[in-house]
Amino acid sequence: METRVTALPKLFIGIDIHKRSWKIHCSTDLFAGKSFTMPPEPEKLYQYVQKHFPDYQVTTAYEAGCCGYSAHRSFESFGWKSLVVNPADIHRKGKERHTKTDRIDAQLISRELKDGRLEGIIVPGKEREELRSLFRRRNELVKDLRRIKCMIKMQLLYFGIKVPPEFDNDHWSHAFRNWVDSQQFNYPTARETMASKMRTFRFIDKELRDVSSQLRAYCRKHFKEDYYLLRSIPGIGGIVAVGIITELGDLRRFSSLKHLAGYVGLVPGIYQSGATSRSMGMSPRCHGLIRSYYVEAAWQAIRTDPV
């Protein structure tokens, strides 16, 4: 009787990715596999698989993190199935929560992948990923601007200079900036301290305005329909619309409003056991930046609500 192979053998590769090295764990349908360390180069892993598992159907997975999606795209270019997973979604047994090494992490990913319990995150296309980098750069500039403002006001307070009531607010008008520039000190060193901080403030302020303008212009040109649909919603302005487009992508991928709310983190946590049931407040699992944007947009929308 002739024996025929009706299905390809499967190889499951769990990867713990780091900047200088990868910890790899390979397993198949028939054996638990082995772990080894290799340089962080997808081509080297491809050569290893071609040498030792030439006719296998390959599936890889690694945790989302600072190394981005370049490895994922390389694996897919090899014809492999690749998943990028949320680290919080990898199941750990009780004893495994108290022991963590790169080798154990790679084994856990390979095991969960083999058992079919892993679900990958949505990997953005290169265009959206690079647009997201510019949006996150804007968020960095917002934090830097807030920090330098605090430093300037702290310096004025330290020198005993009282800010006039008409300027003592979050809005830094040109009149307030000119007032800070006009302050007199006993020695030139203090003058240079304040001048240096004001130069930093003006530089960050200009960068923030330029980046914000570039984001809005790009979305108006390349995501015109979605951008203006979002802008038509009360409370959502240009930057919030850009944030939704860059961070959430196409909202049509969410099956329902509940699905979207769960992803953003606008859902309450709940604890229920027997007759005991209590709300745990806002879920800690969220997209922090977009959740804050949604909350601020809701407060703005209230102003236009006739009720």
Side-chain angles (χ1 to χ4, degrees), residues 35-102:
S35 300
F36 59 92
T37 303
M38 63 170 291
E41 300 173 15
E43 293 75 16
K44 295 284 182 66
L45 181 58
Y46 177 75
Q47 293 170 7
Y48 175 86
V49 171
Q50 289 298 103
K51 180 179 179 180
H52 296 90
F53 306 94
D55 298 319
Y56 279 69
Q57 181 179 330
V58 182
T59 305
T60 66
Y62 67 90
E63 296 176 348
C66 62
C67 294
Y69 308 115
S70 58
H72 165 79
R73 295 189 177 104
S74 296
F75 298 150
E76 288 194 329
S77 70
F78 301 153
W80 300 350
K81 181 181 178 181
S82 176
L83 297 178
V84 182
V85 298
N86 185 339
D89 290 341
I90 300 174
H91 173 71
R92 292 175 180 268
K93 298 177 182 178
K95 62 181 181 180
E96 293 170 343
R97 297 174 186 172
H98 305 286
T99 306
K100 185 187 185 305
T101 65
D102 292 346

Side-chain angles (χ1 to χ4, degrees), residues 75-180:
F75 298 150
E76 288 194 329
S77 70
F78 301 153
W80 300 350
K81 181 181 178 181
S82 176
L83 297 178
V84 182
V85 298
N86 185 339
D89 290 341
I90 300 174
H91 173 71
R92 292 175 180 268
K93 298 177 182 178
K95 62 181 181 180
E96 293 170 343
R97 297 174 186 172
H98 305 286
T99 306
K100 185 187 185 305
T101 65
D102 292 346
R103 180 172 175 269
I104 291 176
D105 287 347
Q107 289 175 348
L108 285 175
I109 296 172
S110 181
R111 182 191 71 192
E112 295 297 294
L113 190 61
K114 181 178 178 179
D115 293 344
R117 289 197 292 259
L118 285 185
E119 182 178 350
I121 65 173
I122 300 297
V123 177
K126 285 189 175 181
E127 180 188 18
R128 200 179 295 271
E129 182 183 17
E130 294 181 8
L131 177 61
R132 180 185 294 179
S133 69
L134 186 61
F135 176 73
R136 292 182 178 179
R137 172 57 183 160
R138 181 190 179 277
N139 191 48
E140 292 170 0
L141 290 169
V142 169
K143 293 179 180 178
D144 291 342
L145 188 66
R146 187 183 303 123
R147 179 171 177 268
I148 191 62
K149 282 182 173 181
C150 289
M151 292 173 65
I152 291 171
K153 286 198 170 183
M154 179 276 296
Q155 195 73 66
L156 292 171
L157 178 64
Y158 182 80
F159 285 137
I161 300 174
K162 187 175 181 180
V163 178
E166 64 270 20
F167 296 145
D168 195 8
N169 52 58
D170 294 334
H171 175 63
W172 284 35
S173 63
H174 289 289
F176 174 63
R177 302 177 195 188
N178 294 333
W179 177 84
V180 174

Side-chain angles (χ1 to χ4, degrees), residues 1-5:
M1 180 182 292
E2 183 181 356
T3 302
R4 295 184 179 180
V5 178

